[in-house]
Amino acid sequence: DVQLVESGGGLVQPGGSLRLSCAASGFPFNRYWMHWVRQDPGKGLVWVSRINGDGISTNYADAVKGRFTISRDNAKNTLYLQMNSLRVEDTAVYYCARDLVGLRSTSCFDPWGQGTLVTVSS
Amino acid sequence: DIQMTQSPSSLSASVGDRVTITCRSSQSISNYLNWYQQKAGKAPKLLIYAASSLQSGVPSRFSGSGSGTDFTLTISSLQPEDFASYYCQQSYSTPLTFGGGTKVEIK
């Protein structure tokens, strides 16, 4: 079965840093684009970033550009999100999601991990 | 950025009802439109991709239609397990964007 398991969330002060991880299993990880999507508590979904299979191509939402960095370690089947200069408004549940189809980006998310909560507060 | 507008933001319906949710994009996105279901405390689940393709394992009572700027998600006969929030998402261009969601509640 395809499985995505996020970790690394927690409480951090404004201006701080956090690195999220997403451990993938059950599929050829290096063939798939991967995404991070976040959800403010009780609110809607916001796409954060994506990365292609070999880690060369990345895209970011404007709200996180220059502060967040997406990366992957295909040897470890793990996706990362390095979050720096965190703001209160970055508080959210962060989900990793696989692209629907391998080798090209459909930018359609399936499946999703269970999410990890990031709280930015003093 | 492409803005996605869903309506209604919430609705109340009974088991067996036919439910329709609409999604409108601020510019044409061809058929690059996906629908997700999210139950409370859970991750979203893909229902429909490319506007009208049913994801594997999703019941056939779910269907999607539309192209260009106007799209519809229809549940032909609402079941108890369908009470959830539903989101549309455009996959036409980055930044990828979602609609605000529709919460389907029990009448």
Side-chain angles (χ1 to χ4, degrees), chain A:
Chain A
D1 280 1
V2 174
Q3 194 170 15
L4 300 171
V5 180
E6 299 97 334
S7 61
L11 175 64
V12 61
Q13 292 188 336
S17 298
L18 213 54
R19 188 177 83 157
L20 306 183
S21 300
C22 171
S25 60
F27 65 99
F29 181 68
N30 63 351
R31 295 185 187 179
Y32 284 80
W33 285 74
M34 297 293 296
H35 303 261
W36 288 100
V37 178
R38 70 186 185 186
Q39 186 168 34
D40 293 359
K43 295 191 177 178
L45 299 161
V46 177
W47 172 79
V48 172
S49 183
R50 71 176 181 179
I51 186 169
N52 74 334
D54 61 14
I56 299 301
S57 179
T58 60
N59 299 98
Y60 297 91
D62 284 348
V64 307
K65 201 173 293 183
R67 300 187 299 123
F68 290 10
T69 302
I70 191 171
S71 64
R72 63 194 297 161
D73 184 336
N74 287 341
K76 296 182 177 180
N77 286 353
T78 302
L79 174 72
Y80 301 101
L81 186 67
Q82 178 66 45
M83 304 185 295
N84 298 332
S85 303
L86 281 161
R87 304 167 180 168
V88 170
E89 55 264 35
D90 294 319
T91 295
V93 173
Y94 285 74
Y95 296 100
C96 67
R98 193 194 73 175
D99 207 282
L100 178 61
V101 175
L103 298 178
R104 62 182 177 89
S105 179
T106 64
S107 294
C108 176
F109 315 121
D110 182 73
W112 300 56
Q114 85 286 353
T116 188
L117 176 62
V118 172
T119 303
V120 185
S121 174
S122 54

Side-chain angles (χ1 to χ4, degrees), chain B residues 20-80:
Chain B
T20 299
I21 299 168
T22 64
C23 180
R24 176 167 290 175
S25 56
S26 60
Q27 66 184 74
S28 178
I29 57 171
S30 183
N31 70 334
Y32 290 89
L33 191 283
N34 312 303
W35 290 98
Y36 301 86
Q37 176 193 66
Q38 186 179 32
K39 296 182 179 180
K42 300 293 187 181
K45 171 189 170 184
L46 178 65
L47 297 177
I48 302 284
Y49 63 95
S52 60
S53 296
L54 192 68
Q55 172 62 340
S56 175
V58 174
S60 58
R61 63 181 179 274
F62 291 92
S63 64
S65 65
S67 70
T69 61
D70 293 297
F71 302 88
T72 300
L73 173 70
T74 300
I75 309 172
S76 60
S77 177
L78 197 65
Q79 298 301 300

